[in-house]
Amino acid sequence: MIIVMKPDVNKQQINNVISLVENHGLKTHLSCGDQVTIIGVVGDKSKLSKCNIELLGGVEKIVPVTESYKLANKKFHTTSSTVKVRDVVIGGDQFTIMAGPCAIESEKQIIETAHAIKKSGATMLRGGAYKPRTSPYSFQGLEEEGLKYMATAREETGLPIVCEVISLQSVETAYKYVDMFQIGARNMQNFYLLKEIGKTKTPVLLKRGLSATIDEWLNAAEYIMSEGNENVVLCERGIRTFETATRNTLDISAIPIIKQKSHLPVIVDPCHATGKRAYVNPLSKASIAVGADGLMIEVHPNPSVALSDGPQSLPPDEFDKLCNELRPFSKLVGKNL
Ligand code: PEP
Ligand code: MN
């Protein structure tokens, strides 16, 4: 439930409510907006049944939250939140482009790509060091060696880096290098992994599971946030449907739905959504139109020899053209790119 405070509430009254709730063994989450102050309550609310909270000074009303996700819920935090990754802000009036190869293949490849994407306007570098591939015989990633190359690319370009983690062991290793953890579609419901990264303060890019509903996705975010890490950015990357013309089906409606249900920033990955380079440009534009906070785009210096996801990766010149074409679209929706 949430406790909505009166517009003229004072600090003492807020503290009284928080103490009462916490003394009954529940957790609180304070959100002070320009218009309204809200105290979100997480836990077994039956413990408060005899407290008559609505009669306390400064309390306007109590609103039940029926959804199982609370901290990720817009009712808990009525204004959109932003997540900072080093100097890069995701959400709010920013439109953030993360780009880079599907997999880190060599130091030269990642550094060359980092310089190219920065020149075109990307503000974060992506690259996979641990690759959860469909086949066990496909390239599985360079692991720590790849993370070192990513860190060098960050030193050379200043771009913050985002890398996928797939296990506890990879979290321990990647923690030393990355600015943002990526949880891939296949691990969206690996609750143990979500809890572990929830214990860190490192921002998290949480991709939607291949067959996850929006509510399941938001509950996955809740797993991370409930451990104390509220720096979560969602990423729509397509879901499995009966359609075979594309690798997955981009659920474009998920963006406005997320915006209605949650305060978390949400970006789109049109590459994994379609599996085909030709559709990346139009779907990037569509993503801006429906209110996304950014994009994740796979870029490879030479996609025809990429060790993974070449057909959906853009060469640097096409990525540059895409960024140039996206600028007027982002301006139109009032976002800085
Ligand atoms: C990726 O971003 O490289 C990736 C594997 O994506 P997803 O988890 O969305 O398939
Ligand atoms: Mn990929």
Side-chain angles (χ1 to χ4, degrees):
M1 66 184 201
I2 58 169
I3 304 166
V4 182
M5 307 304 284
K6 288 182 176 156
D8 60 352
V9 67
N10 62 45
K11 235 182 165 151
Q12 187 56 50
Q13 290 170 322
I14 294 172
N15 289 341
N16 287 345
V17 174
I18 290 177
S19 308
L20 179 76
V21 171
E22 292 187 350
N23 287 341
H24 283 79
L26 289 91
K27 285 187 182 160
T28 60
H29 186 273
L30 179 62
S31 166
C32 300
D34 285 347
Q35 312 286 329
V36 65
T37 298
I38 283 170
I39 301 170
V41 177
V42 186
D44 177 5
K45 61 179 191 292
S46 68
K47 289 182 183 164
L48 299 170
S49 58
K50 295 197 178 83
C51 292
N52 290 324
I53 291 175
E54 56 277 33
L55 300 181
L56 292 180
V59 174
E60 182 158 296
K61 60 179 174 182
I62 293 181
V63 180
V65 176
T66 45
E67 295 86 0
S68 50
Y69 52 91
K70 312 288 179 191
L71 301 172
N73 202 310
K74 192 136 192 193
K75 290 175 188 156
F76 261 55
H77 197 287
T78 50
T79 53
S80 298
S81 50
T82 55
V83 171
K84 216 167 165 229
V85 186
R86 290 194 168 225
D87 289 339
V88 174
V89 175
I90 305 170
D93 57 7
Q94 294 300 315
F95 191 79
T96 306
I97 301 186
M98 311 174 183
C102 179
I104 306 150
E105 296 169 6
S106 68
E107 187 170 39
K108 182 173 175 288
Q109 172 238 24
I110 195 70
I111 288 175
E112 195 180 319
T113 312
H115 282 294
I117 61 147
K118 183 178 179 183
K119 214 165 110 225
S120 299
T123 52
M124 285 188 65
L125 176 67
R126 66 145 285 149
Y130 301 93
K131 296 305 306 172
R133 305 300 300 281
T134 303
S135 161
Y137 308 116
S138 301
F139 177 57
Q140 303 285 309
L142 294 180
E143 303 192 344
E144 188 165 9
E145 184 190 351
L147 295 170
K148 286 182 183 162
Y149 298 156
M150 283 293 272
T152 308
R154 173 181 53 211
E155 268 165 45
E156 287 213 8
T157 59
L159 296 173
I161 57 176
V162 51
C163 300
E164 179 168 358
V165 284
I166 55 169
S167 62
L168 225 52
Q169 200 187 356
S170 64
V171 172
E172 273 171 28
T173 308
Y175 183 75
K176 304 191 283 281
Y177 298 97
V178 307
D179 302 306
M180 186 177 216
F181 289 131
Q182 176 175 320
I183 294 292
R186 289 153 194 83
N187 276 308
M188 191 209 80
Q189 284 189 313
N190 184 339
F191 299 123
Y192 191 68
L193 184 62
L194 300 178
K195 282 192 195 182
E196 287 305 308
I197 58 165
K199 290 176 190 151
T200 74
K201 289 282 172 240
T202 304
V204 181
L205 182 70
L206 178 64
K207 292 189 128 190
R208 182 177 180 180
L210 279 79
S211 307
T213 65
I214 290 172
D215 275 16
E216 285 165 345
W217 188 15
L218 288 171
N219 271 297
E222 189 79 12
Y223 262 96
I224 301 168
M225 299 173 85
S226 64
E227 293 294 329
N229 187 350
E230 299 197 5
N231 303 310
V232 177
V233 176
L234 302 165
C235 178
E236 162 62 40
R237 46 78 72 208
I239 49 172
R240 281 275 168 92
T241 69
F242 54 82
E243 182 54 70
T244 53
T246 48
R247 183 176 177 183
N248 293 288
T249 298
L250 179 63
D251 183 8
I252 198 81
S253 56
I255 308 307
I257 294 170
I258 288 288
K259 288 287 173 192
Q260 200 175 47
K261 288 174 172 269
S262 177
H263 54 91
L264 297 174
V266 57
I267 69 165
V268 172
D269 170 353
C271 298
H272 289 89
T274 59
K276 291 179 184 163
R277 184 179 307 133
Y279 308 134
V280 170
N281 183 313
L283 291 177
S284 296
K285 290 169 182 164
S287 303
I288 296 180
V290 294
D293 296 298
L295 291 165
M296 174 174 259
I297 308 280
E298 286 186 332
V299 176
H300 191 285
N302 185 358
S304 61
V305 296
L307 295 182
S308 87
D309 288 348
Q312 66 191 37
S313 303
L314 303 191
D317 58 339
E318 261 187 61
F319 177 68
D320 191 58
K321 185 168 165 279
L322 173 69
C323 291
N324 286 332
E325 287 185 22
L326 293 181
R327 272 185 201 101
F329 282 81
S330 66
K331 205 169 163 193
L332 213 58
V333 298
K335 287 209 176 241
N336 302 316
L337 164 57

